[in-house]
Amino acid sequence: MNAQTKTTALRTVDIAYIGLFVAVMAICSWISIPATVPFTLQTFAVFMAVGLLGGKRGTIAVLTYVLLGAIGVPVFAGFSGGIGALLGNSGGYIVGFVFSALVMWAITAKFGEKTWVLGLSMVLGLIVCYAFGTMWFMIAYTANTGAVGIVAVLGWCVIPFIIPDLCKIGIALILTKRLKRHVKL
């Protein structure tokens, strides 16, 4: 096998893993408990994608997922898709997944992929997602319904999600470490 063939094979494997995680993110979004911002497993899938695939491939998977949803493929919670889903009240959290992946990539690129670094990157990525999504929620909600305070939005969109999201981070860390031993990336 020459160097060019090896590079092409690696790209094919990368695309396959990216596609797999786009599908995993879609499936995890469909597992949903309706609320102001639905409870889903999307954040878990984002953490797994970046944790297992690494920063570059994981971020590409997350970006691909968001772009597929933006063009109308029903990959978001409630089998929704389209630019309207991203412009709606909870769309900022979906776009925030890209920023979460970028934060995770930056932290693991700088400090390595030790378990504590990966865990810290997931927590900081989640905080970035919360911040971006909450700001967007306030803008969209105010435009569509009327003014709303930050305390109310945090009560609807962040506080109920903290413990479930921390549990998702814990499970993602455990699975990432176990799967990395068995999956050749």
Side-chain angles (χ1 to χ4, degrees):
M1 184 184 293
N2 64 31
Q4 185 178 11
T5 306
K6 204 172 194 178
T7 302
T8 304
L10 181 62
R11 286 189 194 138
T12 303
V13 168
D14 289 342
I15 291 168
Y17 278 121
I18 289 166
L20 175 67
F21 270 92
V22 170
V24 167
M25 281 182 257
I27 292 166
C28 285
S29 77
W30 298 334
I31 301 168
S32 176
I33 299 171
T36 304
V37 174
F39 284 89
T40 67
L41 293 176
Q42 287 168 296
T43 50
F44 167 76
V46 169
F47 300 142
M48 284 296 299
V50 179
L52 194 58
L53 299 180
K56 181 179 180 180
R57 289 178 291 200
T59 301
I60 291 170
V62 173
L63 183 60
T64 302
Y65 166 75
V66 172
L67 290 174
L68 277 174
I71 63 169
V73 179
V75 294
F76 301 145
F79 296 92
S80 64
I83 198 72
L86 292 177
L87 297 177
N89 291 347
S90 61
Y93 295 99
I94 297 169
V95 174
F97 296 153
V98 176
F99 296 110
S100 291
L102 289 169
V103 165
M104 289 175 64
W105 183 6
I107 291 171
T108 55
K110 177 114 175 122
F111 299 107
E113 292 193 12
K114 295 179 242 25
T115 303
W116 72 269
V117 173
L118 190 56
L120 177 65
S121 75
M122 289 177 181
V123 169
L124 293 176
L126 179 63
I127 291 169
V128 167
C129 184
Y130 281 163
F132 189 84
T134 300
M135 286 187 300
W136 181 257
F137 185 94
M138 289 185 72
I139 292 166
Y141 190 88
T142 299
N144 296 326
T145 308
V148 64
I150 186 72
V151 174
V153 173
L154 290 174
W156 296 336
C157 303
V158 175
I159 293 168
F161 294 87
I162 292 173
I163 291 174
D165 284 342
L166 290 175
C167 291
K168 293 175 205 173
I169 286 172
I171 294 167
L173 273 173
I174 292 167
L175 287 176
T176 295
K177 289 302 176 182
R178 287 191 180 169
L179 288 173
K180 275 198 172 193
R181 292 184 216 147
H182 304 290
V183 177
K184 303 282 186 205
L185 295 174

